[in-house]
Amino acid sequence: MFGLKDRHSDHYLCQCTTRNSLCGAKDWMSKGREIGCHNPPPAYSENFCFSCTTTPESMGAAGGLVVGNIAEANKRPELPFLVVADTLPYPPLALPENARLLVLSPSPDQPPQAHRPEFYVQSEFVLLVPDGVELDHGRQLERLIRELEGEGGGPVRLIAAPVLTRAAVQCLHLQVSLKEWTATYSLGALGSSGSVCTALHGDAVVLIRTEDFFNLSDPLARPLLSSLFIQTALRGWKVKLLEGPSFSASHRPLFTSAHNQWKADSRLKEAANQLMRSFGLKRLVWPDGREQWFGCSKETARCFGTVRDDTPAYLYLERWTPPCCLRALRETTKYVINILDSSGVRYWLEGGSLLGAARHQDIIPWDYDVDLGIYLEDVSNCEYLKNLDSGSLVDANGYVWERAVEGDFYRIQYSEANHLHVDLWPFYPRNGVMTKDTWTDHKQDVEFPEHFLQPLVPMTFVGITAYGPNNHRAFLELKFGQGVIENPQYPNPAKKRLDRSRM
């Protein structure tokens, strides 16, 4: 038997010791706070798998599984027990001879198998069971095994059954885009004998082959089911949620005090945040449209460091701009454009931002700043811009206005902590040509005829109406080359080239 209690009290792992055996346990929460390894129904007395339950209140500071009373384990000395903890529990566990403690944190003096549970699990299936669920009848598990075997080698690699009622579990479609740092949940589709989907929301018992489970990148990452379905969705695996049988659950509370419930909830939230960070997900979208964010904000640094060679670090990871960074850039752009409009400063979308407006009506998905051109003579109209020679300015909304150190232009940062920014490039007309006194080495930083700005025309950008050059195609091809709108490429293809076949 293999049993793993999640440190955040969301799921156990129960694994059968023989190919044809069934997993079950009578009265999981016996005595409420002890390991419960109880006698199986007589019909399954020979080949029966047991799992262990522990009190959530016995979780120690080490953050792993801590067992307070293991007397029940002594009643079944023929059954092996595996207790798993992130780090060595304290106070120490008093384990019987048939129980083994496995610490997940590696030690430099130990062989690799010492901290890897897969070396100790030999059966074909793993059963994931929520806290408090009672496995009363072997036929429930037989049904799950038959269903999984009936799927053969198809995309359905997990079989699930609801706890209590089918209505308590939602079958969802999960689309994970690592490139866009986003996981999106929507309502799943119906199958022939149940709902076939890529994720579940609610309490369910889940069966998966042991080989599949331990071939996941991080099978024991928590929260367990959130982690499981993110990894299986990325592999194209599906889960079939059966209409029945339903599993019963104990009505005993898992926690004896509101304080312990609060601690468990806090740890679960912490685990969810850590999971998103470790998987590189910044944004979750739920079926009702709600969004959860796990990336940068106005109070934190942006998600990437200094950009070298016009190629941000995330491009080398085969990813695009994190959605939290795009959100901050959109907010900053709307804010700056509103101030320019109200101050009488003529502006136009420039460079890659104009290219994004032409292609997407938004920021290019891999861009890391926004560029606007402005008339130099209008700078004095804006209170924020005209006094920047004497130093930077933090306005009442936390935006930082400054002269850029890289050249003769202005920069508005999202905040003092978060340096996502909008750059303002001042031009002035000379003999019908828009020019500047200083230039950068960017190929788009060149002179151009003023007639592109006479008149400026409205364009949709970041959800608002902004202004851009008339005949923006000719303007962009003057700066970037023929066909630039239809042929996207990263800013510096010599360093990192866009694979268009993967777009």
Side-chain angles (χ1 to χ4, degrees):
M1 190 284 289
F2 171 75
L4 169 64
K5 171 66 176 65
D6 187 288
R7 72 176 270 199
H8 299 290
S9 298
D10 62 343
H11 279 79
Y12 292 93
L13 294 178
C14 181
Q15 180 265 330
C16 300
T17 54
T18 63
R19 165 64 187 81
N20 295 317
S21 63
L22 301 172
C23 285
K26 291 291 289 181
D27 188 10
W28 288 70
M29 300 306 293
S30 174
K31 300 186 182 179
R33 301 294 177 262
E34 299 176 358
I35 284 186
C37 301
H38 304 279
N39 293 329
Y44 304 100
S45 57
E46 289 193 10
N47 293 321
F48 206 79
C49 158
F50 296 84
S51 184
C52 299
T53 65
T54 68
T55 167
E57 293 150 27
S58 67
M59 291 183 293
L65 171 66
V66 180
V67 181
N69 186 333
I70 57 165
E72 294 293 337
N74 290 302
K75 296 180 180 179
R76 304 292 297 189
E78 75 281 6
L79 290 177
F81 286 80
L82 185 64
V83 181
V84 179
D86 286 330
T87 57
L88 187 67
Y90 180 84
L93 301 182
L95 296 176
E97 292 184 359
N98 61 322
R100 178 188 182 94
L101 172 65
L102 186 146
V103 176
L104 293 175
S105 299
S107 176
D109 62 338
Q110 296 294 320
Q113 63 268 27
H115 58 90
R116 292 170 60 179
E118 58 267 34
F119 281 95
Y120 302 91
V121 181
Q122 304 300 321
S123 69
E124 185 173 356
F125 298 103
V126 169
L127 189 69
L128 311 181
V129 185
D131 284 341
V133 169
E134 299 171 349
L135 303 182
D136 294 323
H137 306 291
R139 61 179 177 272
Q140 295 171 312
L141 301 173
E142 287 179 326
R143 168 79 187 280
L144 297 182
I145 292 173
R146 285 198 307 269
E147 288 283 348
L148 187 55
E149 290 177 330
E151 294 295 335
V156 174
R157 308 287 277 269
L158 306 95
I159 300 294
V163 175
L164 298 181
T165 67
R166 170 63 180 82
V169 185
Q170 274 189 305
C171 194
L172 303 176
H173 174 66
L174 171 58
Q175 182 177 1
V176 182
S177 173
L178 294 181
K179 184 182 290 290
E180 297 175 304
W181 312 75
T182 297
T184 303
Y185 293 87
S186 57
L187 296 179
L190 294 177
S192 57
S193 59
S195 299
V196 176
C197 44
T198 47
L200 302 176
H201 180 68
D203 281 342
V205 172
V206 180
L207 185 75
I208 182 173
R209 284 186 169 84
T210 303
E211 181 181 8
D212 285 345
F213 184 72
F214 284 114
N215 276 332
L216 297 175
S217 303
D218 193 354
L220 302 182
R222 288 156 293 185
L224 188 60
L225 286 191
S226 297
S227 162
L228 175 73
F229 292 129
I230 288 171
Q231 295 178 81
T232 56
L234 284 167
R235 289 159 175 77
W237 300 355
K238 297 185 183 298
V239 54
K240 178 187 282 190
L241 175 61
L242 305 180
E243 297 299 322
S246 296
F247 286 79
S248 59
S250 169
H251 297 292
R252 301 174 186 224
L254 292 176
F255 303 92
T256 56
S257 71
H259 179 68
N260 285 323
Q261 178 70 63
W262 172 82
K263 284 199 300 185
D265 291 344
S266 297
R267 285 171 173 169
L268 184 60
K269 183 178 180 180
E270 177 189 342
N273 289 334
Q274 178 57 41
L275 178 70
M276 296 304 112
R277 287 193 294 269
S278 64
F279 282 3
L281 294 173
K282 309 284 187 180
R283 175 173 169 253
L284 297 185
V285 182
W286 297 101
D288 60 3
R290 286 183 301 113
E291 294 180 324
Q292 277 184 274
W293 295 88
F294 301 92
C296 65
S297 69
K298 210 171 179 71
E299 291 72 38
T300 69
R302 67 185 184 184
C303 297
F304 56 95
T306 301
V307 176
R308 309 289 185 185
D309 301 317
D310 300 324
T311 307
Y314 51 77
L315 291 185
Y316 294 107
L317 298 172
E318 305 299 338
R319 297 193 178 210
W320 290 346
T321 311
C324 46
C325 297
L326 290 174
R327 179 177 62 167
L329 285 173
R330 293 185 188 107
E331 288 180 17
T332 307
T333 301
K334 294 174 185 178
Y335 183 78
V336 171
I337 284 178
N338 181 59
I339 290 177
L340 296 180
D341 277 333
S342 61
S343 302
V345 177
R346 290 166 290 175
Y347 74 89
W348 60 94
L349 295 169
E350 258 289 356
S353 300
L354 178 61
L355 194 53
R359 284 192 195 137
H360 314 284
Q361 295 78 54
D362 201 352
I363 299 167
I364 293 174
W366 51 83
D367 209 352
Y368 51 88
D369 64 5
V370 169
D371 294 311
L372 302 176
I374 60 172
Y375 271 87
L376 178 62
E377 63 193 82
D378 292 346
V379 167
S380 60
N381 296 340
C382 179
E383 291 294 325
Y384 294 119
L385 294 176
K386 68 181 182 181
N387 296 317
L388 290 182
D389 287 339
S390 58
S392 62
L393 178 154
V394 181
D395 68 21
N397 293 296
Y399 293 89
V400 181
W401 299 69
E402 63 183 9
R403 274 192 175 276
V405 297
E406 299 95 330
D408 191 17
F409 61 97
Y410 301 99
R411 174 164 290 169
I412 299 90
Q413 296 182 157
Y414 189 41
S415 70
E416 292 182 276
N418 192 320
H419 295 171
L420 291 160
H421 56 266
V422 172
D423 288 335
L424 304 181
W425 301 88
F427 287 79
Y428 62 89
R430 183 174 62 194
N431 300 323
V433 174
M434 297 301 291
T435 189
K436 300 189 300 175
D437 293 331
T438 60
W439 303 90
T440 68
D441 58 0
H442 295 160
K443 64 180 179 180
Q444 69 268 27
D445 193 19
V446 296
E447 295 179 329
F448 59 90
E450 188 180 12
H451 68 71
F452 282 113
L453 310 181
Q454 297 175 338
L456 293 166
V457 298
M459 300 183 72
T460 300
F461 186 64
V462 299
I464 63 172
T465 298
Y467 285 98
N470 61 73
N471 197 354
H472 64 263
R473 175 179 291 277
F475 185 88
L476 286 167
E477 292 188 344
L478 169 69
K479 295 205 166 196
F480 292 101
Q482 190 99 14
V484 65
I485 296 176
E486 293 79 16
N487 297 285
Q489 188 50 262
Y490 288 154
N492 188 349
K495 294 293 183 180
K496 181 64 179 177
R497 178 170 289 274
L498 174 66
D499 182 355
R500 297 176 192 167
S501 67
R502 300 178 63 181
M503 290 185 66

